[in-house]
Amino acid sequence: MIIAIDGPSGAGKSTLGKMLAKKLNLLYLDTGAMYRAVALAVFQADETIENEKKAAEIAKHSKIELVGEPDSPQIKLNGQDVSDKIRTNEIGQMASVVSSVSEVRKILVEHQRTLGETAPNGCVLDGRDIGTVVFPNADLKFFLTAKPEARARRRYEEDAQRGQISTYEETLAEINRRDERDISREDSPLSIAEDAIVIDTSELNLREVYEQMLEEIKVKSDEGRGTRDK
Ligand code: DC
């Protein structure tokens, strides 16, 4: 089973993706972490993020691995655990820039498809283009969204827990900047797949969204079983 979860940053994709993967015993793939890892590799190579050719070259030669259980995933860049390093706002902005480079996307999309297709029980992937580009035939597609203010509030609280210093206003401005870039880029912009189930999480708590998603998955599995039994 392939489950796609797309949506803007701070809508709850990764937390819910991890919860579902754990519950259903599926692989969890945080595709944003892969773009972040490429951004970090560009940063470590002292290259400017605007050098698209160089970014593609770096993406091609970087070994990006996602390891560990869904509730404690680790991301490795060329053998080094970079799970914390990729979570800064600076790398987030750089990832948003690097993700608009078509050649970088091509490399990472291929990697994501291979990982998803070879996962023994299936995979939950979270990102921006999973249901539209990476797995257009996914069994189930969710698009999680929320008002920018709600997303900024959550991101701000997460950052504070990690010890990152920023204000709510800065976080909101950062989210709006990133959304604008992710929506307006030419290659695979953030968009809602025609057959996606859209959930606005602004007024819902985590548990409510989780239950709703599980219910949709159950309906889908029952449908599949019904078709097979006929
Ligand atoms: O989900 P995130 O905030 O960690 O993602 C970081 C950046 O990567 C985000 O600005 C958009 C980009 N991204 C993308 O273009 N496609 C994906 N499938 C996942 C993330």
Side-chain angles (χ1 to χ4, degrees), residues 32-84:
M34 298 168 87
Y35 288 95
R36 284 171 182 264
V38 172
L40 180 66
V42 171
F43 177 76
Q44 287 178 341
D46 266 339
E47 288 295 339
T48 61
I49 204 75
E50 281 74 28
N51 188 342
E52 298 192 357
K53 215 167 145 223
K54 197 78 202 173
E57 207 176 287
I58 288 173
K60 198 169 169 189
H61 295 108
S62 298
K63 187 174 177 205
I64 297 169
E65 295 167 283
L66 293 154
V67 294
E69 293 301 310
D71 43 2
S72 57
Q74 247 185 38
I75 176 128
K76 287 188 170 179
L77 173 64
N78 301 322
Q80 299 257 323
D81 181 359
V82 293
S83 313
D84 291 335

Side-chain angles (χ1 to χ4, degrees), residues 6-10 13 30-33 35-36 87 91-93 95-97 99-100 105 112 126-130 134 155 178-179 181-182 185 188:
D6 290 304
S9 54
K13 300 184 304 291
D30 176 355
T31 63
Y35 288 95
R36 284 171 182 264
R87 294 295 161 199
I91 295 297
Q93 289 295 346
S96 169
V97 177
S99 68
S100 63
R105 300 201 71 84
Q112 290 154 14
D126 96 54
R128 305 291 190 288
D129 60 339
I130 309 302
V134 184
R155 189 45 53 89
R178 211 134 70 81
D179 283 356
R181 213 185 281 121
D182 294 344
R185 70 171 176 238
S188 321

